[in-house]
């Protein structure tokens, strides 16, 4: 993958995705949203575990690589409340904001 269309994009390895999905006990009955989903690799792995998975990506070039799995939009404008799992591979700065919003929207602890 070239860096010209994805400034700052670093794909998450399947090993790490598998570990995180295992830690979150993702499986049938879960609704997962991947914020900043890039090429959709988290969605593929979550769906293989039986979860309903949606991806949100603001970079159209990355979303095109997902074979139609990813919605192109600003994830801050998307309704997260229907989801049981929020996946976001991001910096600590964004992670704190995402956790805060998740808790406020869903009244969940984490």
């Amino acid at each position: 993958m070239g860096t010209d269309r994805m400034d700052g994009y670093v794909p998450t390895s399947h090993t790490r995705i598998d570990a995180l999905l295992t830690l979150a006990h993702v499986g049938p009955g879960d609704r997962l949203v991947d914020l900043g989903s890039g090429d959709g690799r988290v969605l593929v792995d979550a769906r293989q575990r039986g979860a309903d998975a949606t991806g949100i990506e603001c970079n159209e070039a990355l979303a095109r690589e997902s074979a139609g799995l990813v919605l192109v939009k600003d994830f801050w404008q998307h309704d997260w409340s229907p989801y049981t799992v929020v996946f976001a591979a991001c910096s600590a700065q964004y992670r704190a904001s995402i956790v805060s919003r998740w808790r406020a929207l869903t009244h969940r602890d984490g």
Side-chain angles (χ1 to χ4, degrees):
M1 289 190 213
T3 56
D4 55 302
R5 61 164 175 59
M6 305 181 269
D7 202 21
Y9 173 67
V10 178
T12 305
S13 73
H14 286 286
T15 301
R16 180 162 288 189
I17 292 167
D18 182 59
L20 292 168
L21 294 176
T22 298
L23 182 66
H25 304 286
V26 172
D30 278 317
R31 295 197 65 208
L32 178 141
V33 63
D34 181 14
L35 307 176
S37 55
D39 62 7
R41 62 184 61 210
V42 171
L43 307 176
V44 170
D45 289 3
R47 288 175 180 184
Q48 287 175 344
R49 292 170 171 256
D52 177 22
T54 300
I56 311 294
E57 175 59 58
C58 66
N59 183 314
E60 290 182 39
L62 285 172
R64 277 193 300 273
E65 290 189 19
S66 76
L69 297 176
V70 176
L71 302 173
V72 178
K73 66 190 301 185
D74 178 351
F75 63 70
W76 295 110
Q77 304 301 317
H78 188 73
D79 178 14
W80 304 357
S81 63
Y83 301 101
T84 59
V85 178
V86 174
F87 189 100
C90 58
S91 69
Q93 171 192 357
Y94 283 113
R95 189 169 36 252
S97 296
I98 288 166
V99 168
S100 177
R101 177 158 184 208
W102 174 245
R103 287 178 175 161
L105 287 173
T106 63
H107 306 290
R108 293 185 178 135
D109 292 329

